[in-house]
Amino acid sequence: MPGYELWSDKERKEVNDVLNTGILMRYGFDGMRNGIWKSKELEAAICETFGTKHAQLVSSGTAALTTAMAALGIGYGDEVITPCFTFVASFEAIISVGATPVFADVDDTLTLDPLSVKKAITAKTKAIMPVHMCGSMADLDALSALCKEHNLILLEDACQSIGGSYKGKQLGSIGDAGTFSFDFVKTMTCAEGGVIMSNREDVFTHSDGYSDHGHDHKGVDRGADLHPFVGYNFRISELHSAVGLAQIKRLPEFLALQKKNHGALKEILAQIPGISFRRIPDPSGDSCSFISWFLPTEEITRAVVAELKAQGILAGNFYWFDNNWHYIRKWDHLKNGTTLNALHPDHKKAVMHHANKNFSASDAVMGRCISTAISLTWTEEQIIDKGNKIVAAVKKIMQEINALV
Ligand SMILES: *Cc1c(COP(=O)(O)O)cnc(C)c1O
């Protein structure tokens, strides 16, 4: 899964380039930096690697989502349709710009069910934000068609699917805008960081300004910059960009290892009786950072998770249904509208209303799902050992449950 597993001299070299000049900021200080512009270089590499016209680095994936929303003009009174299975950052960003997250169900793709999205569209809907969870993509043809039909923005939260693609295009490069996270556990890391990608000039100009206090960046003197709109500080530092620059050059290596280990483990897990795998709208575009698999019932799945835990082999296997970060069932802070800053009462009411809806269709999927994270450092023997242990644990549980009925 993550690039941090293969930390190397290449990352050290890029960081040292910055340490040698001492210019840790991405803007200004032109004379003192000896031509070292790691953030600019990384943005150019992102455009080239992912096939997007523009890229704006920021300090995190969450900042990237917030900036993208501001850049796209999403704000108070707007509804953004997003899945109930995602990382909390997705709804945090929506709320932060004053908009309301409207949660739709996920289907066996573990991403937005287009039918549920269609039902959620109202006169207030401004954007659809699919989240390409666990390395693989949402049904972008169906969602793009809905956006076109209803004149909505498509914003891809591609934070978890770096290197995945859909029908030949890189995830994150397809919508009006897309975001990646480069936090420590993502497919490539900056330690902390994120990016907004877009083919739209206006989205880029807005993102560039918004993430640096509204500066227009037109001159060489920061003090003389104009501020066409109110911004914020979501800047990335040169140290972080240096790490990312080394990592993006190694991305093909990471993705190839991921694919190889994914394939080997999946072949073993396929022996589990009654197993099925996540549906992937474009199987050739899977980034392979996880294998997500389903067992026949929630009861069996729970028992298997308990068995893996008892055997000390649960690490790296995620049962999102019980996870506090990724599935709506446990987002009590959101359901209760618990924020530190007061929200407008109408906004708070809308947020709470949508967080407390019925998600039984998603429960039926998530209750039976386990996602196994793929490590880049596994040996063939480790994969065989890991796979065989999981298969044996599931078979044991199924025998026990069958003996009861
Ligand atoms: C990691 C992640 C984010 C947020 O990224 P940070 O860099 O950790 O702020 C947003 N959305 C999803 C789906 C993520 O997995």
Side-chain angles (χ1 to χ4, degrees), residues 383-399:
I383 294 172
I384 293 168
D385 181 55
K386 190 172 275 288
N388 286 343
K389 280 183 176 152
I390 294 175
V391 173
V394 179
K395 283 187 176 165
K396 175 174 175 237
I397 292 301
M398 284 188 166
Q399 270 164 10

Side-chain angles (χ1 to χ4, degrees), residues 38-46 57 188 190 241 244-245 248:
K38 296 298 182 189
S39 305
K40 280 189 196 219
E41 243 190 279
L42 179 53
E43 283 165 350
I46 288 168
L57 283 166
M188 59 169 268
C190 290
S241 295
L245 190 58
I248 200 171

Side-chain angles (χ1 to χ4, degrees), residues 43-107:
E43 283 165 350
I46 288 168
C47 290
E48 168 83 26
T49 305
F50 301 105
T52 181
K53 262 193 202 145
H54 306 285
Q56 177 65 43
L57 283 166
V58 288
S59 51
S60 71
T62 312
L65 286 171
T66 302
T67 301
M69 284 184 214
L72 289 159
I74 298 169
Y76 177 69
D78 294 331
E79 293 179 352
V80 178
I81 300 175
T82 201
C84 61
F85 171 52
T86 180
F87 182 56
V88 287
S90 308
F91 69 72
E92 288 168 357
I94 296 169
I95 295 172
S96 79
V97 298
T100 302
V102 173
F103 298 99
D105 277 309
V106 294
D107 57 21

